[in-house]
Protein backbone atom coordinates (compact mmCIF):
# COMPACT_ATOMS: atom_id res chain seq x y z
CA UNK A 1 0.00 0.00 0.00
CA UNK A 2 1.26 3.46 -0.89
CA UNK A 3 2.06 5.77 2.01
CA UNK A 4 0.56 9.26 2.06
CA UNK A 5 2.71 10.73 4.85
CA UNK A 6 6.09 9.98 6.40
CA UNK A 7 7.06 11.01 9.91
CA UNK A 8 7.50 9.58 13.39
CA UNK A 9 5.55 8.71 16.52
CA UNK A 10 6.80 10.62 19.53
CA UNK A 11 6.35 8.41 22.60
CA UNK A 12 8.07 10.32 25.40
CA UNK A 13 11.76 10.25 24.47
CA UNK A 14 11.16 7.35 22.07
CA UNK A 15 10.83 8.20 18.37
CA UNK A 16 9.33 5.61 16.02
CA UNK A 17 9.74 6.28 12.27
CA UNK A 18 6.44 5.42 10.54
CA UNK A 19 4.58 5.66 7.25
CA UNK A 20 0.93 6.62 7.13
CA UNK A 21 -1.28 4.42 4.92
CA UNK A 22 -5.00 4.78 4.22
CA UNK A 23 -6.89 2.02 6.06
CA UNK A 24 -10.10 2.41 4.06
CA UNK A 25 -11.11 2.59 0.42
CA UNK A 26 -14.30 3.58 -1.33
CA UNK A 27 -16.12 1.08 -3.55
CA UNK A 28 -18.98 3.40 -4.43
CA UNK A 29 -19.84 3.74 -8.12
CA UNK A 30 -18.87 7.07 -9.66
CA UNK A 31 -20.95 8.80 -12.31
CA UNK A 32 -19.93 11.38 -14.89
CA UNK A 33 -21.88 14.47 -15.78
CA UNK A 34 -23.04 14.32 -19.41
CA UNK A 35 -24.92 16.46 -21.89
CA UNK A 36 -28.37 14.84 -22.14
CA UNK A 37 -28.80 15.92 -25.75
CA UNK A 38 -25.80 14.02 -27.15
CA UNK A 39 -24.18 12.18 -24.22
CA UNK A 40 -21.02 14.29 -24.32
CA UNK A 41 -18.92 14.61 -21.16
CA UNK A 42 -19.22 17.78 -19.12
CA UNK A 43 -15.80 18.92 -17.91
CA UNK A 44 -14.62 21.65 -15.59
CA UNK A 45 -11.61 23.68 -16.59
CA UNK A 46 -9.51 25.64 -14.12
CA UNK A 47 -9.20 29.10 -15.57
CA UNK A 48 -7.28 32.07 -14.19
CA UNK A 49 -9.57 35.02 -13.51
CA UNK A 50 -6.93 37.54 -14.57
CA UNK A 51 -5.93 36.32 -18.03
CA UNK A 52 -8.77 33.90 -18.78
CA UNK A 53 -6.32 31.11 -19.62
CA UNK A 54 -6.68 27.50 -18.55
CA UNK A 55 -4.04 26.58 -15.93
CA UNK A 56 -2.44 23.09 -15.64
CA UNK A 57 -2.28 21.43 -12.23
CA UNK A 58 1.49 21.88 -11.92
CA UNK A 59 1.02 25.64 -11.90
CA UNK A 60 -1.75 25.69 -9.28
CA UNK A 61 -0.86 26.51 -5.68
CA UNK A 62 -2.80 27.65 -2.63
CA UNK A 63 -3.27 30.96 -0.92
CA UNK A 64 -5.18 32.63 1.88
CA UNK A 65 -7.76 35.25 0.93
CA UNK A 66 -8.05 38.18 3.30
CA UNK A 67 -11.15 40.25 4.00
CA UNK A 68 -10.26 42.87 1.38
CA UNK A 69 -9.96 40.22 -1.33
CA UNK A 70 -6.19 40.15 -1.53
CA UNK A 71 -4.55 36.69 -1.58
CA UNK A 72 -1.42 35.67 0.31
CA UNK A 73 0.37 32.71 -1.37
CA UNK A 74 1.11 29.75 0.98
CA UNK A 75 3.52 26.98 -0.08
CA UNK A 76 4.11 23.49 1.28
CA UNK A 77 7.56 24.68 2.39
CA UNK A 78 5.93 27.42 4.43
CA UNK A 79 3.72 24.91 6.21
CA UNK A 80 6.61 22.48 6.72
CA UNK A 81 8.65 25.16 8.54
CA UNK A 82 5.96 25.98 11.09
CA UNK A 83 7.42 25.97 14.65
CA UNK A 84 5.15 23.18 15.95
CA UNK A 85 6.15 19.70 17.03
CA UNK A 86 3.43 17.99 14.99
CA UNK A 87 4.65 19.16 11.58
CA UNK A 88 6.23 15.74 10.95
CA UNK A 89 5.42 13.98 14.20
CA UNK A 90 2.47 12.14 15.70
CA UNK A 91 2.86 13.38 19.26
CA UNK A 92 1.24 11.12 21.87
CA UNK A 93 -0.18 13.22 24.71
CA UNK A 94 -1.99 10.69 26.91
CA UNK A 95 -3.53 7.24 27.21
CA UNK A 96 -7.23 6.85 28.03
CA UNK A 97 -9.83 4.02 28.09
CA UNK A 98 -11.36 3.50 24.66
CA UNK A 99 -14.91 4.04 25.97
CA UNK A 100 -14.06 7.65 26.76
CA UNK A 101 -13.85 8.44 23.03
CA UNK A 102 -17.18 9.55 21.61
CA UNK A 103 -17.82 7.74 18.28
CA UNK A 104 -19.10 11.06 16.92
CA UNK A 105 -15.51 12.26 16.90
CA UNK A 106 -14.30 9.42 14.64
CA UNK A 107 -13.02 10.52 11.25
CA UNK A 108 -10.68 8.94 8.68
CA UNK A 109 -8.72 5.78 9.56
CA UNK A 110 -5.06 5.02 8.82
CA UNK A 111 -2.55 2.23 9.38
CA UNK A 112 0.84 3.16 10.85
CA UNK A 113 3.63 1.08 9.32
CA UNK A 114 7.12 0.84 10.79
CA UNK A 115 9.48 2.71 8.46
CA UNK A 116 12.71 0.69 8.36
CA UNK A 117 14.34 -2.08 10.38
CA UNK A 118 15.29 0.21 13.26
CA UNK A 119 11.64 1.11 13.81
CA UNK A 120 10.54 -2.51 14.37
CA UNK A 121 11.57 -2.71 18.05
CA UNK A 122 10.00 0.54 19.34
CA UNK A 123 6.95 -0.04 17.12
CA UNK A 124 6.41 -3.47 18.68
CA UNK A 125 6.97 -2.06 22.16
CA UNK A 126 4.23 0.57 21.71
CA UNK A 127 1.86 -1.97 20.17
CA UNK A 128 2.25 -4.44 23.04
CA UNK A 129 1.97 -1.67 25.65
CA UNK A 130 -1.34 -0.58 24.11
CA UNK A 131 -2.58 -4.18 24.12
CA UNK A 132 -1.71 -4.80 27.75
CA UNK A 133 -3.09 -1.51 29.03
CA UNK A 134 -6.33 -1.91 27.07
CA UNK A 135 -6.19 1.81 26.41
CA UNK A 136 -5.88 4.02 23.37
CA UNK A 137 -3.36 6.80 22.78
CA UNK A 138 -4.51 10.36 22.13
CA UNK A 139 -2.16 12.23 19.80
CA UNK A 140 -1.81 15.38 17.72
CA UNK A 141 -0.45 15.45 14.17
CA UNK A 142 -0.39 17.75 11.16
CA UNK A 143 -1.72 16.61 7.77
CA UNK A 144 -2.79 18.48 4.64
CA UNK A 145 -2.16 21.91 6.02
CA UNK A 146 -3.74 21.70 9.45
CA UNK A 147 -3.20 20.16 12.86
CA UNK A 148 -5.45 17.27 13.75
CA UNK A 149 -6.37 15.09 16.68
CA UNK A 150 -5.88 11.33 16.51
CA UNK A 151 -6.47 8.11 18.43
CA UNK A 152 -4.03 5.20 18.20
CA UNK A 153 -5.21 1.65 18.87
CA UNK A 154 -4.15 -1.89 17.97
CA UNK A 155 -5.81 -3.78 15.09
CA UNK A 156 -4.46 -7.33 14.87
CA UNK A 157 -0.68 -6.74 14.84
CA UNK A 158 -0.81 -3.22 13.48
CA UNK A 159 -1.14 0.19 15.12
CA UNK A 160 -4.06 2.02 13.57
CA UNK A 161 -4.86 5.70 13.91
CA UNK A 162 -8.29 7.28 13.70
CA UNK A 163 -8.48 10.95 12.93
CA UNK A 164 -10.67 12.67 15.51
CA UNK A 165 -12.70 15.83 15.22
CA UNK A 166 -11.84 18.52 17.73
CA UNK A 167 -14.38 18.70 20.59
CA UNK A 168 -15.62 22.11 19.40
CA UNK A 169 -16.42 20.59 15.98
CA UNK A 170 -19.17 18.39 17.45
CA UNK A 171 -22.52 20.16 17.34
CA UNK A 172 -24.87 19.94 20.33
CA UNK A 173 -28.05 17.97 19.46
CA UNK A 174 -30.37 20.86 20.22
CA UNK A 175 -33.89 20.56 18.84
CA UNK A 176 -33.31 17.02 17.58
CA UNK A 177 -35.06 14.95 20.26
CA UNK A 178 -38.88 14.66 20.13
CA UNK A 179 -40.51 17.64 21.82
CA UNK A 180 -43.63 15.74 22.89
CA UNK A 181 -43.70 14.20 26.35
CA UNK A 182 -43.85 10.48 25.54
CA UNK A 183 -44.04 7.69 28.11
CA UNK A 184 -43.02 4.10 27.37
CA UNK A 185 -44.67 1.19 29.14
CA UNK A 186 -42.73 -1.68 30.67
CA UNK A 187 -44.51 -4.14 28.36
CA UNK A 188 -43.27 -2.21 25.33
CA UNK A 189 -39.71 -2.20 26.69
CA UNK A 190 -39.94 -5.96 27.31
CA UNK A 191 -40.97 -6.56 23.70
CA UNK A 192 -38.18 -4.27 22.45
CA UNK A 193 -35.69 -6.26 24.55
CA UNK A 194 -37.08 -9.50 23.13
CA UNK A 195 -36.68 -8.16 19.59
CA UNK A 196 -33.08 -7.10 20.28
CA UNK A 197 -32.29 -10.52 21.73
CA UNK A 198 -33.91 -12.29 18.77
CA UNK A 199 -32.01 -10.27 16.18
CA UNK A 200 -28.84 -11.05 18.11
CA UNK A 201 -25.40 -10.25 16.75
CA UNK A 202 -24.16 -10.04 13.18
CA UNK A 203 -20.86 -11.01 11.63
CA UNK A 204 -19.63 -7.63 10.40
CA UNK A 205 -17.61 -9.23 7.59
CA UNK A 206 -20.86 -10.67 6.16
CA UNK A 207 -22.43 -7.25 5.57
CA UNK A 208 -22.58 -6.24 1.92
CA UNK A 209 -23.58 -3.24 -0.20
CA UNK A 210 -26.70 -4.52 -1.98
CA UNK A 211 -27.38 -1.11 -3.52
CA UNK A 212 -24.03 -1.15 -5.31
CA UNK A 213 -24.75 -4.64 -6.67
CA UNK A 214 -28.12 -3.47 -7.98
CA UNK A 215 -26.54 -0.44 -9.69
CA UNK A 216 -23.83 -2.63 -11.28
CA UNK A 217 -26.47 -5.09 -12.53
CA UNK A 218 -28.49 -2.21 -14.01
CA UNK A 219 -25.40 -0.85 -15.79
CA UNK A 220 -24.56 -4.29 -17.20
CA UNK A 221 -28.16 -4.74 -18.42
CA UNK A 222 -28.15 -1.31 -20.07
CA UNK A 223 -24.82 -2.06 -21.75
CA UNK A 224 -26.22 -5.35 -23.08
CA UNK A 225 -29.47 -3.80 -24.28
CA UNK A 226 -31.58 -6.04 -22.05
CA UNK A 227 -32.57 -3.52 -19.40
CA UNK A 228 -36.17 -3.59 -18.23
CA UNK A 229 -37.18 -1.07 -15.56
CA UNK A 230 -38.50 -2.75 -12.45
CA UNK A 231 -41.64 -1.53 -10.78
CA UNK A 232 -40.63 0.99 -8.14
CA UNK A 233 -41.51 0.16 -4.56
CA UNK A 234 -43.61 3.04 -3.31
CA UNK A 235 -43.64 3.37 0.44
CA UNK A 236 -46.85 4.66 2.03
CA UNK A 237 -46.84 8.26 3.15
CA UNK A 238 -45.66 8.91 6.68
CA UNK A 239 -47.90 9.72 9.60
CA UNK A 240 -49.73 6.39 9.75
CA UNK A 241 -50.56 5.55 13.35
CA UNK A 242 -49.98 1.91 14.21
CA UNK A 243 -50.43 -0.28 17.24
CA UNK A 244 -46.89 -0.28 18.65
CA UNK A 245 -47.38 -3.42 20.72
CA UNK A 246 -48.70 -5.37 17.73
CA UNK A 247 -45.82 -4.12 15.57
CA UNK A 248 -43.27 -5.23 18.17
CA UNK A 249 -44.89 -8.63 18.57
CA UNK A 250 -44.96 -9.17 14.83
CA UNK A 251 -41.33 -8.03 14.52
CA UNK A 252 -40.23 -10.56 17.15
CA UNK A 253 -42.15 -13.32 15.39
CA UNK A 254 -40.70 -12.51 11.96
CA UNK A 255 -37.18 -12.20 13.37
CA UNK A 256 -37.47 -15.64 14.96
CA UNK A 257 -38.87 -17.11 11.76
CA UNK A 258 -35.97 -15.69 9.74
CA UNK A 259 -33.54 -17.34 12.15
CA UNK A 260 -35.37 -20.67 12.01
CA UNK A 261 -36.75 -20.38 15.53
CA UNK A 262 -40.31 -21.02 16.62
CA UNK A 263 -42.34 -18.26 18.22
CA UNK A 264 -42.34 -18.31 22.01
CA UNK A 265 -45.43 -19.72 23.67
CA UNK A 266 -47.84 -17.19 25.06
CA UNK A 267 -46.76 -14.49 22.64
CA UNK A 268 -50.36 -13.62 21.98
CA UNK A 269 -50.82 -15.49 18.72
CA UNK A 270 -50.34 -13.96 15.30
CA UNK A 271 -50.07 -10.22 15.76
CA UNK A 272 -51.29 -7.91 13.07
CA UNK A 273 -50.30 -4.26 12.70
CA UNK A 274 -53.57 -2.37 12.92
CA UNK A 275 -54.32 1.34 13.04
CA UNK A 276 -55.13 2.74 16.48
CA UNK A 277 -58.83 3.61 16.74
CA UNK A 278 -59.59 7.29 16.44
CA UNK A 279 -62.07 9.19 18.61
CA UNK A 280 -65.75 8.77 17.82
CA UNK A 281 -65.89 12.35 16.58
CA UNK A 282 -63.35 11.63 13.83
CA UNK A 283 -64.71 11.25 10.33
CA UNK A 284 -65.25 7.72 9.06
CA UNK A 285 -62.61 6.60 6.52
CA UNK A 286 -63.58 6.75 2.89
CA UNK A 287 -64.22 3.40 1.27
CA UNK A 288 -61.89 2.25 -1.47
CA UNK A 289 -63.56 0.77 -4.52
CA UNK A 290 -62.19 -2.70 -4.13
CA UNK A 291 -63.62 -6.15 -3.53
CA UNK A 292 -61.97 -6.45 -0.14
CA UNK A 293 -63.52 -3.18 1.04
CA UNK A 294 -67.02 -4.17 -0.24
CA UNK A 295 -66.75 -7.63 1.25
CA UNK A 296 -65.62 -6.21 4.57
CA UNK A 297 -68.55 -3.75 4.56
CA UNK A 298 -71.05 -6.48 3.66
CA UNK A 299 -69.62 -8.74 6.32
CA UNK A 300 -69.89 -5.97 8.89
CA UNK A 301 -73.53 -5.23 7.86
CA UNK A 302 -74.45 -8.91 7.94
CA UNK A 303 -72.85 -9.27 11.33
CA UNK A 304 -74.87 -6.31 12.61
CA UNK A 305 -78.10 -7.69 11.18
CA UNK A 306 -77.40 -11.09 12.69
CA UNK A 307 -76.80 -9.55 16.08
CA UNK A 308 -80.06 -7.55 15.80
CA UNK A 309 -82.03 -10.66 14.71
CA UNK A 310 -80.55 -12.69 17.54
CA UNK A 311 -81.46 -9.92 19.97
CA UNK A 312 -85.02 -9.77 18.65
CA UNK A 313 -85.38 -13.54 18.92
CA UNK A 314 -84.17 -13.46 22.49
CA UNK A 315 -86.63 -10.65 23.30
CA UNK A 316 -89.56 -12.58 21.73
CA UNK A 317 -88.63 -15.71 23.65
CA UNK A 318 -88.45 -13.73 26.87
CA UNK A 319 -91.88 -12.14 26.19
CA UNK A 320 -93.51 -15.56 25.54
CA UNK A 321 -92.00 -16.93 28.72
CA UNK A 322 -93.29 -13.95 30.66
CA UNK A 323 -96.75 -14.41 29.15
CA UNK A 324 -96.82 -18.07 30.16
CA UNK A 325 -95.77 -17.17 33.67
CA UNK A 326 -98.49 -14.50 33.93
CA UNK A 327 -101.15 -16.90 32.62
CA UNK A 328 -100.11 -19.53 35.13
CA UNK A 329 -100.23 -16.99 37.92
CA UNK A 330 -103.72 -15.88 36.84
CA UNK A 331 -104.91 -19.46 36.72
CA UNK A 332 -103.50 -20.13 40.16
CA UNK A 333 -105.18 -16.99 41.50
CA UNK A 334 -108.51 -18.03 39.98
CA UNK A 335 -108.19 -21.51 41.43
CA UNK A 336 -107.35 -20.08 44.82
CA UNK A 337 -110.34 -17.74 44.67
CA UNK A 338 -112.65 -20.62 43.70
CA UNK A 339 -111.29 -22.80 46.48
CA UNK A 340 -111.78 -20.00 48.96
CA UNK A 341 -115.38 -19.49 47.86
CA UNK A 342 -116.10 -23.23 48.07
CA UNK A 343 -114.61 -23.42 51.53
CA UNK A 344 -116.67 -20.45 52.66
CA UNK A 345 -119.94 -21.96 51.33
CA UNK A 346 -119.21 -25.30 53.00
CA UNK A 347 -118.55 -23.56 56.29
CA UNK A 348 -121.84 -21.72 56.07
CA UNK A 349 -123.80 -24.96 55.42
CA UNK A 350 -122.12 -26.66 58.36
CA UNK A 351 -122.97 -23.79 60.69
CA UNK A 352 -126.66 -23.82 59.61
CA UNK A 353 -126.96 -27.56 60.16
CA UNK A 354 -125.47 -27.24 63.61
CA UNK A 355 -127.90 -24.46 64.49
CA UNK A 356 -130.95 -26.56 63.47
CA UNK A 357 -129.80 -29.62 65.43
CA UNK A 358 -129.28 -27.81 68.75
CA UNK A 359 -133.07 -27.09 69.62
CA UNK A 360 -134.04 -30.67 68.86
CA UNK A 361 -131.66 -31.85 71.51
CA UNK A 362 -133.12 -29.42 74.08
CA UNK A 363 -136.70 -30.59 73.31
CA UNK A 364 -135.95 -34.23 73.81
CA UNK A 365 -134.44 -33.44 77.15
Amino acid sequence: MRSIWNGAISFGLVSIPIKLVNATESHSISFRQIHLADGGRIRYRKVCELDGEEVPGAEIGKGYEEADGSVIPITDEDLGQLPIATARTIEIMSFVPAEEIDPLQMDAAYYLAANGATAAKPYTLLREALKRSRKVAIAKYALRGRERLGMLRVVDDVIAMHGLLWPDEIRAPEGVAPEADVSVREAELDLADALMATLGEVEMSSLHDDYRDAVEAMIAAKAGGAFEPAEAVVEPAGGKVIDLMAALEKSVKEAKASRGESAAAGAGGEAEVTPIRRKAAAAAPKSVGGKKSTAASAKKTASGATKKTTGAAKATKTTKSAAKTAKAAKTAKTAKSTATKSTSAAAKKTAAATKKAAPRKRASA
Side-chain angles (χ1 to χ4, degrees), residues 72 180 189 193 209 211 222 303:
I72 300 175
L189 283 173
D193 290 341
D209 188 349
Y211 182 82
K222 276 181 169 285
S303 177

Side-chain angles (χ1 to χ4, degrees), residues 190-191 193-200 248-267:
D190 292 341
L191 277 173
D193 290 341
L195 178 58
M196 291 167 64
T198 304
L199 292 176
L248 287 170
E249 289 175 356
K250 187 173 183 180
S251 299
V252 171
K253 183 176 180 181
E254 291 180 353
K256 288 185 176 182
S258 67
R259 296 170 67 89
E261 301 176 13
S262 59

Side-chain angles (χ1 to χ4, degrees), residues 77-89:
E77 290 74 16
D78 295 333
L79 296 173
Q81 294 174 3
L82 290 175
I84 57 174
T86 57
R88 279 292 172 185
T89 304

Side-chain angles (χ1 to χ4, degrees), residues 16 21 70 79 89 120 133 153 193 221 259 275 279 299 350:
I16 310 171
V21 177
S70 60
L79 296 173
T89 304
S133 68
R153 69 184 184 96
D193 290 341
R259 296 170 67 89
K279 294 182 179 179
K299 185 176 180 181
T350 303

